[in-house]
Amino acid sequence: MIARAVWAAAVAAAVGPGAHGEAGWEVPLPDGRAVVEWVSPSSFRICREWTPGPRCQGGARSENTSVSPVEAPDQVIFQTQYLRAEVSKRHGGVRVTNREGTTIFEDLDGPRRLGHGISARRRAVEKERFYGLAAASTQGADLRGQIIETDWPFLISSRGYGIYHPQEGRYRFELATGVSSEWRISAAGERVFEYWFYYGPTPKEILEEHKNVVAPPPALRLWQLGVLQPGQEPRGSWKLSASPSWEGLRQSIRALVHGSLSARLVPVLDLSAYEEAPPELMRRAVALGSVVPLVVSSLPGPSADEMAEAIGRLRQRRTRWSRFFLSYADEIEVRGLPVIRPLAMQFPADEEASRVDDAFLIGDEVLAAPVSSPGGCRSVYLPMGIWTEWRTNRVHPGRRRVTACAPEDEVPLYVKNGSLVPVASEEESGLIEVHYFPKLAGEFFLPEPEANDYTQIHAAPALDTMRLEVESKVTRSYEWVVHHVSRVRQVRGATGLLREVSEGRLRDGEWRQEGENLRVRVRVAAGSTDVSYVVF
């Protein structure tokens, strides 16, 4: 990180004296100016102002960005190691290409003032998909072909860029509606036209760029991953609108998807509205609470015994999954990524996944498919990979739809091949179960708040053996649960063979085959590494 004044001086020296103003690089226009300011080699801010009228303000936090502006007769060209951005001197429109020379963003002309508002037209290419805008009431994750009015103007394009308008107000996005080859944005009021451009090329990378401009909320703490009381919601969180109806429940799920694609990182589900809902709806709403980062519930009244019982089971389930959630809660602050990962975010090249707005991943490993209509089953799309149904251990190939069923107080969960999923034991306090789904190798970093460090967990097959490794930062017992393994001959540790047992609760240094799954229990001292070899 270098001082803003030093960065400004470096740019001015590269292109000539007097070109760089207080707010950034200035591009003179016939009726005003455009100001360009880079925050990283992948992100820049552009502000268009008119004369007379409000003026663009500076204040971006600039990193040591290698940018090389060059003046041409009709445009100013900015070049970084990732992007080439051309700003027209005629109207302030922008064209951005990547380092392969592919155009990823293009204004059809410059922003225009129309009456008491401002509008701009951008090119939309065939099959380009649009996400975000906190479009909770919109069906389908892909917003192409729709008109969205929003006060949360954060948009992601499948072409590999994101757009964020920092000025407050109501915005209207027409996303390849009347004319399929363009998309439009308009905003009311006499103002400057300002936005941030983020290059990805994937949604995750775009969100990481956004973190450089808008600081994410602080990482969640372990105690917050239980069931909160009203008023305990942390700073930076946002509540899902809760209408005690099946459509309201479906809208909450869509809001999770659209919100996560809009850089709204900490959603909160308030279950209080469902206390008087019909029993099946109430239980499905509580089940949704098991896969949402934060949950709020007021204390049930005397007539809400069924709700109180459901909330009790929810507390147990959230305790079991709290360590897993905590791992991804860290990424909110560190990387600017949400815990809830829509399929369009996790599998950006999958066209079918881009349309899914009723299922999502928790982190990178677990796909959740909440049931949001009467009855116990629903259809769910599984993207590429091999998926294991958590409740039944049934295996499903990806790139197809399957029927998902679950009891009323559960959400159907599917885990991708190669994943490690650590959860708290239901039977023994302090014991961590590490579920491994071979045959791909996997790793997981488990936060240890008391040690201010991460336990590292690794697993990988190797010919006729499998290597299970825990580098623990605290003293703890771990029980490996390896899914889908053939008959195991032996398990070796650093000091020799582990003991095979046929029944009863495992103790440290013991293992057992249970149908298709293998269980291996080890004790690891703080600062030590345990490696177990499974021999088939």
Side-chain angles (χ1 to χ4, degrees), residues 381-387 396-401:
Y381 176 72
L382 299 178
M384 64 180 297
I386 306 297
W387 298 84
H396 301 273
R399 294 276 177 122
R400 66 185 64 190
R401 286 192 166 271

Short mmCIF file of all heavy atoms in Angstrom, two decimals, residues 381-387 396-401:
data_model
loop_
_atom_site.label_atom_id
_atom_site.label_comp_id
_atom_site.label_asym_id
_atom_site.label_seq_id
_atom_site.Cartn_x
_atom_site.Cartn_y
_atom_site.Cartn_z
N TYR A 381 -31.46 -29.38 -9.03
CA TYR A 381 -30.41 -29.57 -10.03
C TYR A 381 -29.07 -29.72 -9.33
O TYR A 381 -28.68 -28.88 -8.51
CB TYR A 381 -30.37 -28.37 -10.98
CG TYR A 381 -29.23 -28.45 -11.98
CD1 TYR A 381 -29.28 -29.37 -13.03
CD2 TYR A 381 -28.11 -27.62 -11.86
CE1 TYR A 381 -28.24 -29.45 -13.95
CE2 TYR A 381 -27.07 -27.70 -12.78
CZ TYR A 381 -27.14 -28.62 -13.82
OH TYR A 381 -26.11 -28.71 -14.72
N LEU A 382 -28.33 -30.78 -9.68
CA LEU A 382 -26.99 -31.01 -9.17
C LEU A 382 -25.99 -30.68 -10.28
O LEU A 382 -26.04 -31.29 -11.35
CB LEU A 382 -26.81 -32.47 -8.73
CG LEU A 382 -27.74 -32.95 -7.61
CD1 LEU A 382 -27.49 -34.42 -7.33
CD2 LEU A 382 -27.56 -32.12 -6.34
N PRO A 383 -25.10 -29.72 -10.06
CA PRO A 383 -24.11 -29.37 -11.09
C PRO A 383 -23.08 -30.48 -11.29
O PRO A 383 -23.21 -31.58 -10.74
CB PRO A 383 -23.46 -28.09 -10.53
CG PRO A 383 -24.38 -27.63 -9.45
CD PRO A 383 -25.02 -28.86 -8.90
N MET A 384 -22.04 -30.17 -12.07
CA MET A 384 -21.04 -31.17 -12.40
C MET A 384 -20.38 -31.72 -11.13
O MET A 384 -20.22 -31.03 -10.13
CB MET A 384 -19.97 -30.56 -13.32
CG MET A 384 -19.15 -29.46 -12.70
SD MET A 384 -17.92 -28.78 -13.83
CE MET A 384 -16.89 -30.21 -14.09
N GLY A 385 -20.01 -33.00 -11.21
CA GLY A 385 -19.38 -33.66 -10.07
C GLY A 385 -20.18 -34.88 -9.65
O GLY A 385 -21.18 -35.24 -10.26
N ILE A 386 -19.73 -35.53 -8.60
CA ILE A 386 -20.44 -36.64 -7.97
C ILE A 386 -20.91 -36.14 -6.61
O ILE A 386 -20.13 -35.61 -5.83
CB ILE A 386 -19.54 -37.88 -7.80
CG1 ILE A 386 -18.91 -38.27 -9.15
CG2 ILE A 386 -20.32 -39.04 -7.22
CD1 ILE A 386 -19.91 -38.69 -10.20
N TRP A 387 -22.19 -36.34 -6.32
CA TRP A 387 -22.79 -35.77 -5.11
C TRP A 387 -23.33 -36.89 -4.22
O TRP A 387 -23.93 -37.85 -4.69
CB TRP A 387 -23.92 -34.82 -5.48
CG TRP A 387 -23.46 -33.65 -6.30
CD1 TRP A 387 -23.28 -33.62 -7.65
CD2 TRP A 387 -23.08 -32.36 -5.80
NE1 TRP A 387 -22.82 -32.37 -8.04
CE2 TRP A 387 -22.69 -31.59 -6.92
CE3 TRP A 387 -23.05 -31.80 -4.53
CZ2 TRP A 387 -22.28 -30.27 -6.80
CZ3 TRP A 387 -22.63 -30.48 -4.40
CH2 TRP A 387 -22.25 -29.73 -5.52
N HIS A 396 -25.22 -39.52 -6.36
CA HIS A 396 -25.88 -39.03 -7.57
C HIS A 396 -24.83 -38.41 -8.50
O HIS A 396 -24.03 -37.57 -8.06
CB HIS A 396 -26.91 -37.94 -7.24
CG HIS A 396 -27.99 -38.38 -6.30
ND1 HIS A 396 -29.15 -38.98 -6.72
CD2 HIS A 396 -28.09 -38.29 -4.94
CE1 HIS A 396 -29.92 -39.24 -5.67
NE2 HIS A 396 -29.29 -38.83 -4.58
N PRO A 397 -24.82 -38.78 -9.76
CA PRO A 397 -23.98 -38.05 -10.72
C PRO A 397 -24.55 -36.67 -10.98
O PRO A 397 -25.77 -36.45 -10.87
CB PRO A 397 -24.03 -38.93 -11.98
CG PRO A 397 -25.31 -39.68 -11.86
CD PRO A 397 -25.57 -39.88 -10.39
N GLY A 398 -23.67 -35.72 -11.30
CA GLY A 398 -24.12 -34.35 -11.53
C GLY A 398 -24.60 -34.09 -12.93
O GLY A 398 -24.77 -34.99 -13.74
N ARG A 399 -24.87 -32.81 -13.19
CA ARG A 399 -25.42 -32.34 -14.46
C ARG A 399 -26.79 -32.96 -14.75
O ARG A 399 -27.11 -33.29 -15.87
CB ARG A 399 -24.46 -32.64 -15.62
CG ARG A 399 -23.14 -31.87 -15.58
CD ARG A 399 -23.31 -30.50 -16.19
NE ARG A 399 -22.08 -29.72 -16.10
CZ ARG A 399 -21.43 -29.21 -17.14
NH1 ARG A 399 -21.90 -29.39 -18.35
NH2 ARG A 399 -20.35 -28.49 -16.96
N ARG A 400 -27.59 -33.09 -13.72
CA ARG A 400 -28.94 -33.62 -13.89
C ARG A 400 -29.79 -33.23 -12.69
O ARG A 400 -29.29 -32.81 -11.65
CB ARG A 400 -28.92 -35.14 -14.04
CG ARG A 400 -28.46 -35.90 -12.81
CD ARG A 400 -28.36 -37.39 -13.09
NE ARG A 400 -27.34 -37.65 -14.10
CZ ARG A 400 -27.16 -38.83 -14.68
NH1 ARG A 400 -27.94 -39.85 -14.34
NH2 ARG A 400 -26.22 -39.01 -15.58
N ARG A 401 -31.09 -33.40 -12.84
CA ARG A 401 -32.03 -33.15 -11.75
C ARG A 401 -32.37 -34.45 -11.05
O ARG A 401 -32.48 -35.51 -11.68
CB ARG A 401 -33.30 -32.47 -12.26
CG ARG A 401 -33.09 -31.01 -12.61
CD ARG A 401 -34.39 -30.26 -12.83
NE ARG A 401 -34.14 -28.82 -12.84
CZ ARG A 401 -34.16 -28.05 -11.77
NH1 ARG A 401 -34.46 -28.58 -10.58
NH2 ARG A 401 -33.90 -26.76 -11.86
#
